[in-house]
């Protein structure tokens, strides 16, 4: 059973003015579609065809670079679309809000760490908020790696991710990655992040 490109859960222009419609259209319809198609091609005819993406990522060190790059790209973008939304932003409350305060000291301290992880990731990659045995931690990964991969430096369940590949922001922001990062907080769907936090082991 092949992996399918998930539908974008809102219109291309739903995240404007923070993320422009053209970027969303290309990012979803070309980049995410490409990772999905290339993942399917890479696993075709292997026993990975019957595995979940989580299982594939958990054993990624045993698989090819094509599966690592495209399996990561498939999963990461699916998470990315869902943790954003129109009418996003604000601050999380409830158990997630309490966990952020407990792990980082305050919401602003979390933002500072997450923004720094996103800004200092050299080249292409992702910034993550991860739930693991230590609580909540911030990290970043190169390329399309993520904390679900067995070879990740920081392992755990990603509950929030920010794509800092240039394809995610260059049309609108050019080289101004810090502006893209600071505007990301305006589109975070904290309800979705909270439900991922609750579901994470
Ligand atoms: Mn991307």
């Amino acid at each position: 059973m092949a992996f399918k490109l998930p539908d974008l859960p809102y219109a291309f222009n739903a995240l404007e003015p923070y993320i422009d419609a053209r970027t969303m259209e290309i990012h979803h319809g070309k980049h995410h579609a490409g990772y999905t198609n290339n993942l399917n091609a890479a696993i075709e005819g292997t026993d990975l065809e019957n595995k979940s993406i989580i299982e594939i990522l958990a054993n990624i060190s045993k698989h090819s670079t094509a599966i690592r790059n495209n399996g990561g790209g498939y999963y990461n973008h699916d998470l990315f679309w869902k943790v954003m939304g129109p009418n996003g932003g604000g601050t999380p409350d409830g158990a997630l809000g309490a966990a952020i305060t407990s792990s980082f000291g305050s919401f602003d301290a979390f933002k500072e760490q997450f923004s720094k992880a996103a800004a200092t990731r050299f080249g292409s990659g992702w910034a993550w908020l991860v739930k693991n045995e230590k609580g909540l931690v911030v990290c970043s990964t190169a390329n399309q790696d993520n904390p679900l991969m067995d070879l990740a430096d920081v392992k755990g369940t990603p509950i929030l991710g920010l794509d800092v590949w240039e394809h995610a922001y260059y049309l609108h922001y050019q080289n101004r990655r810090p502006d893209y990062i600071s505007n990301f907080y305006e589109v975070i769907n904290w309800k979705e992040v909270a439900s991922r936090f609750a579901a994470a082991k």
Side-chain angles (χ1 to χ4, degrees), residues 112-174:
E112 195 179 320
Q113 270 197 44
F114 188 87
S115 298
K116 189 179 176 193
T120 58
R121 165 51 56 189
F122 184 77
S124 298
W126 291 74
W128 302 104
L129 175 62
V130 177
K131 186 179 179 188
N132 65 19
E133 70 286 349
K134 291 178 185 160
L136 288 173
V137 294
V138 160
C139 68
S140 76
T141 55
N143 303 317
Q144 294 296 351
D145 286 357
N146 71 42
L148 293 169
M149 293 181 172
D150 58 353
L151 41 64
D153 291 335
V154 175
K155 294 182 196 61
T157 304
I159 63 170
L160 176 68
L162 174 57
D163 188 344
V164 295
W165 283 59
E166 285 187 345
H167 69 223
Y169 62 85
Y170 211 85
L171 282 181
H172 184 68
Y173 293 94
Q174 294 81 47

Side-chain angles (χ1 to χ4, degrees), residues 7 27 30 41 63 73-74 97 105 114 117 119 126 147 161 170 172 180 198:
D7 289 334
H27 202 173
K30 302 293 181 190
H63 306 314
Y74 169 77
F114 188 87
W126 291 74
Y170 211 85
H172 184 68
Y180 163 68

